[in-house]
Amino acid sequence: QPISPIFMTIKSHKGFSLIEMMVYITILVFMLLIIIDVVVSVAKAERIVVAVRNVEGSAISTLERMGREVRASDSIDVANSAFGVDLGVLTLNATDANGTARTVKFSLSGGRVHLMENGVDGGALSLSSTTVTSLILTRFYSSSLVEGVRVQMTLTSGTSTAYRTETFYSSVTLR
């Protein structure tokens, strides 16, 4: 005997129910939010690292050059230097290998430390991506035995979301 089609009920699922779709969409949204948060955090960390690298690179190159010139100089030209102020100026008297007198001047101008040799602008020592907000120089000496300079330099770099300010110190004596 054949079975009547009334009693045959075959259920066939072709697709997802509305509730299943809502669950899948919710899971996907949470996963995307986590991924977006990670990407934003990585981008912010990268901006901070770049700002720190710029500040430290400028400080190292500027303080290294200043230290080298101070050690190689014969004396500090106190009359043409500015000590104890934010816009410090350091003028050094030296003699080159040929015995010719030379003058080296470090100054803060336009947010950058500039070098001048014998009145000729040698350019900026600090990177263009950083701003030197303060260059305070202090002369120290004890009779005629020891003379030197203490340098305090504050640099800033970065954007509004990844801003870095650091102060660096160095002390150098004349040889």
Side-chain angles (χ1 to χ4, degrees):
Q1 290 182 358
I3 300 177
S4 157
I6 296 174
F7 297 109
M8 292 184 69
T9 55
I10 300 175
K11 292 184 179 180
S12 63
H13 288 300
K14 295 184 181 179
F16 300 104
S17 71
L18 182 61
I19 293 174
E20 289 174 325
M21 287 302 294
M22 294 302 289
V23 169
Y24 296 143
I25 289 173
T26 303
I27 291 171
L28 264 173
V29 166
F30 281 126
M31 289 175 62
L32 286 174
L33 287 174
I34 291 170
I35 291 171
I36 289 171
D37 186 48
V38 168
V39 168
V40 168
S41 295
V42 167
K44 183 177 180 183
E46 191 266 338
R47 286 192 301 271
I48 290 170
V49 166
V50 167
V52 168
R53 187 180 321 128
N54 289 340
V55 165
E56 290 178 353
S58 281
I60 289 169
S61 65
T62 302
L63 292 174
E64 156 63 29
R65 181 64 186 264
M66 289 178 82
R68 193 172 6 152
E69 293 294 342
V70 169
R71 281 190 292 279
S73 66
D74 301 326
S75 65
I76 297 172
D77 186 350
V78 179
N80 291 313
S81 297
F83 298 109
V85 295
D86 281 342
L87 298 174
V89 176
L90 177 63
T91 307
L92 304 168
N93 297 315
T95 308
D96 65 11
N98 299 327
T100 307
R102 81 191 248 277
T103 303
V104 178
K105 179 180 178 181
F106 296 95
S107 62
L108 178 58
S109 173
R112 301 188 59 200
V113 177
H114 290 270
L115 169 69
M116 217 172 222
E117 291 188 64
N118 294 328
V120 177
D121 187 11
L125 298 178
S126 52
L127 298 174
S128 61
S129 56
T130 61
T131 302
V132 181
T133 57
S134 171
L135 179 65
I136 301 173
L137 304 162
T138 307
R139 179 178 173 237
F140 61 87
Y141 57 94
S142 75
S143 64
S144 62
L145 299 176
V146 177
E147 183 179 24
V149 176
R150 180 177 184 266
V151 181
Q152 176 182 336
M153 183 171 57
T154 304
L155 296 102
T156 60
S157 180
T159 62
S160 61
T161 58
Y163 194 72
R164 193 67 169 182
T165 298
E166 288 189 48
T167 301
F168 295 88
Y169 302 89
S170 179
S171 295
V172 186
T173 59
L174 280 77
R175 291 189 181 169

